[in-house]
Amino acid sequence: MTQSRPTPANRPIGFDSIPDPKEPNTEQRASSSSGATAIRGGAIRVGGYVTGILVSLGAATILVRHLGIATFGRYVTVTSLVALVAGVTEAGIAVYGIREFAARDESDRRYLMANLLGMRMTLTLVGIVCAVGFGLIAGYPQIMVIGTVVAGVGLLVQVVGEVMSISLQAQLLLGSLTIVELCRRVATLILIGALALLDATLLPFLAASTVAGAVAVALLMWMVRSSFTIKLRVDWQMWRDLFSETLPFALAVSIGAVYFYVTVILMSLIATAHQTGIFGTSFRVTQVALAIPSILLTAIFPLMSQEHSAQDSALGAMLGKVFTVAVIGGIWMSLALALGAGFIINIIAGSQGQEAVSVLRIQGLVFTVSFISTACVFGFLSLRQYRPMMITSSSALLLNIVLSLIFIPVLGARGGAFADVITETVEAIGLTIILTRAVPRYRIPVSALPVAALAAALASSVLLVPVGSIARVVGASVIYFGILLFTDAIPSDVLDVAQRLPVMRILFRDSAK
């Protein structure tokens, strides 16, 4: 649907409500403030995360050039195995904690957080033991098995930080959380750079994230000292109640979080070390960027998780706007990655990684559908409907395994990329169809799809201009968003908040008239 420009008489009041031409009441003004805070918070987090991506790519550049493609493939395999453990054992606890934090008083919050931390630590320890056992059974080299233990210790530190950050996310203090995440990435880069200068081997590089994670946890402890105390509690009754309530939710979220890492693990078992390294080089780029859809939509989730029924027209309107933003953001990220793939791989790996350019361009297509599937997931979470997520995630995992086993032996690293893209596309379509049936008043704004696709096609014309990759990405972005602004394809809520950001005031000055 075409979005109208914001005017003084008809000002959008956030994703959780529909614009009303009448003067908003107190509740509406509060909703407007929360909606604007969420959007600004999401923008801050994405901006900080994009900065963090550049830092992470700097670390990846040092790793690839110092370790070489094959050894870097081992590094990515170990970190993917531990990340798989993190995805499974997270069990949806973070989103559950965000939802419950606002509904409890201070003492109850502290008790809940202590039990959530105890659950996460227990599950993570079990997961690490399983990961080490898998490495032994799979016949991984000894250094990779030991590396899994080292990376597992880092995961335990990360778990503490994730549980502590729940209070910041629930209160929409996303700027503070962004600072912590950025400090962790910068600390990792500094440590990796120092280790490279010392000509370190694989294990010290795997330990670098543990030290950086400890720095982030220390900073978080200071930030949340008034609302959170690190304590481990084991209230078996509460644990049983939590598992009983969140088991379908946990399974759905966990399965959906792991299948990209499963591709890396399968690659390490059935492909050559070189192909695993090529895939790992590309995967390292997409891995850090794939968190952007979740980060952006997590900022909106506290508003989405307000009480809504499936018949609520406000929920349907909100989901429609979120879908539009997801399509716009996903297509732009795929376009930017396709245009900048050669430059990115050349910076990270140089001539030894040129095979990863085509792999990255294929994997870049994931972002378009990943934004859509993530938007649908948060819609189901807001309705507390977990079975559709569990069914689609399980089906996607099985499909990904089958496609990987078919494509990887034939196409190598590109086969793994095709498996990921096809799997995510099928999942996004399935989730969208099910969500439209679950929320009868949810109407997909189909006009957003052709407009965004046309804008991307016209933006691709920069390939005809003899300029560098960065200039092409910038030029394509200007054309893409310029067309979307001209056609009123961007939701007015987003434009309204963007006008309040100092950096964007000049850009949107004319559109506000």
Side-chain angles (χ1 to χ4, degrees):
M1 87 185 79
T2 302
Q3 301 292 335
S4 60
R5 305 287 180 129
T7 63
N10 182 18
R11 185 171 297 278
I13 57 178
F15 279 142
D16 55 330
S17 54
I18 301 175
D20 189 344
K22 299 179 181 180
E23 180 67 17
N25 56 29
T26 302
E27 181 179 352
Q28 289 174 322
R29 285 195 293 269
S31 174
S32 174
S33 176
S34 297
T37 299
I39 298 173
R40 282 196 298 271
I44 291 171
R45 284 207 73 190
V46 170
Y49 194 81
V50 169
T51 304
I53 286 176
L54 298 177
V55 176
S56 294
L57 292 180
T61 300
I62 298 172
L63 286 167
V64 175
R65 292 177 179 269
H66 179 76
L67 296 175
I69 290 292
T71 305
F72 181 69
R74 289 183 171 183
Y75 176 91
V76 172
T77 299
V78 170
T79 54
S80 296
L81 182 59
V82 174
L84 192 152
V85 171
V88 172
T89 59
E90 196 280 330
I93 289 175
V95 177
Y96 175 83
I98 293 172
R99 190 182 73 193
E100 295 297 316
F101 189 91
R104 300 170 182 259
D105 58 33
E106 183 175 351
S107 60
D108 202 12
R109 287 173 182 171
R110 291 178 182 272
Y111 191 74
L112 173 69
M113 292 299 106
N115 274 280
L116 292 182
L117 181 58
M119 290 172 60
R120 277 298 313 268
M121 295 292 283
T122 302
L123 292 172
T124 301
L125 281 170
V126 173
I128 292 170
V129 172
C130 292
V132 173
F134 173 83
L136 292 171
I137 294 172
Y140 282 170
Q142 183 180 22
I143 192 171
M144 292 181 66
V145 176
I146 298 174
T148 303
V149 176
V150 172
V153 174
L155 178 58
L156 291 172
V157 175
Q158 177 184 321
V159 162
V160 176
E162 287 178 354
V163 175
M164 291 175 65
S165 70
I166 287 176
S167 63
L168 296 179
Q169 295 184 66
Q171 298 174 78
L172 297 179
L173 299 176
L174 303 181
S176 299
L177 189 57
T178 300
I179 292 173
V180 173
E181 292 174 347
L182 191 56
C183 287
R184 178 180 61 83
R185 292 180 183 275
V186 170
T188 302
L189 174 61
I190 293 173
L191 289 170
I192 287 176
L195 290 171
L197 291 175
L198 295 173
D199 198 25
T201 55
L202 180 61
L203 287 179
F205 285 109
L206 289 169
S209 60
T210 303
V211 179
V215 173
V217 167
L219 184 57
L220 268 173
M221 288 177 60
W222 180 79
M223 287 183 174
V224 302
R225 61 191 184 281
S226 62
S227 59
F228 185 93
T229 303
I230 296 182
K231 288 184 179 180
L232 295 178
R233 288 191 180 274
V234 182
D235 184 333
W236 294 112
Q237 182 60 47
M238 174 176 276
W239 285 29
R240 283 194 294 269
D241 293 342
L242 287 173
F243 274 121
S244 175
E245 179 178 350
T246 64
L247 185 59
F249 164 75
L251 289 174
V253 173
S254 298
I255 295 172
V258 304
Y259 66 78
F260 282 113
Y261 298 106
V262 170
T263 307
V264 179
I265 304 304
L266 290 174
M267 183 78 64
S268 72
L269 297 176
I270 63 178
T272 64
H274 178 74
Q275 285 297 311
T276 302
I278 291 296
F279 184 84
T281 302
S282 173
F283 176 74
R284 191 65 172 176
V285 177
T286 56
Q287 178 191 23
V288 293
L290 273 172
I292 289 180
S294 181
I295 287 175
L296 181 60
L297 294 175
T298 297
I300 304 171
F301 182 69
L303 304 181
M304 296 175 69
S305 59
Q306 294 174 359
E307 291 298 327
H308 288 292
S309 70
Q311 305 294 330
D312 193 344
S313 60
L315 176 62
M318 177 181 62
L319 292 177
K321 293 176 183 179
V322 171
F323 181 88
T324 300
V325 172
V327 168
I328 291 173
I331 290 179
W332 173 75
M333 285 194 68
S334 294
L335 174 65
L337 202 56
L339 294 173
F343 173 80
I344 294 171
I345 296 300
N346 186 55
I347 291 294
I348 293 176
S351 58
Q352 63 176 330
Q354 286 307 299
E355 293 178 66
V357 174
S358 60
V359 179
L360 182 56
R361 285 173 176 156
I362 296 170
Q363 284 187 317
L365 298 173
V366 164
F367 291 105
T368 297
V369 286
S370 181
F371 261 91
I372 294 173
S373 60
T374 302
C376 292
V377 164
F378 276 90
F380 284 118
L381 291 181
S382 67
L383 293 171
R384 305 191 182 191
Q385 295 185 11
Y386 309 134
R387 181 172 295 179
M389 295 165 50
M390 185 168 59
I391 294 173
T392 54
S393 296
S394 301
S395 301
L397 177 60
L398 292 175
L399 177 62
N400 182 258
I401 293 173
V402 172
L403 292 176
S404 295
L405 293 174
I406 293 173
F407 290 152
I408 290 175
V410 179
L411 300 174
R414 287 183 296 170
F418 278 122
D420 286 346
V421 171
I422 295 172
T423 299
E424 185 71 10
T425 301
V426 171
E427 183 181 28
I429 293 173
L431 285 170
T432 302
I433 292 173
I434 298 173
L435 185 60
T436 55
R437 293 179 178 178
V439 184
R441 292 181 178 271
Y442 172 38
R443 294 291 180 267
I444 296 177
V446 292
S447 60
L449 293 171
V451 173
L454 176 61
L458 294 176
S460 299
S461 63
V462 297
L463 290 170
L464 302 175
V465 182
V467 295
S469 296
I470 295 180
R472 283 178 175 171
V473 171
V474 173
S477 299
V478 171
I479 295 172
Y480 178 74
F481 287 107
I483 293 173
L484 294 178
L485 283 170
F486 180 77
T487 57
D488 290 336
I490 300 177
S492 54
D493 306 69
V494 177
L495 289 177
D496 181 64
V497 174
Q499 292 174 54
R500 303 176 192 175
L501 300 176
V503 177
M504 304 298 287
R505 283 175 183 168
I506 296 177
L507 179 61
F508 289 102
R509 183 178 297 163
D510 294 335
S511 64
K513 294 179 181 180

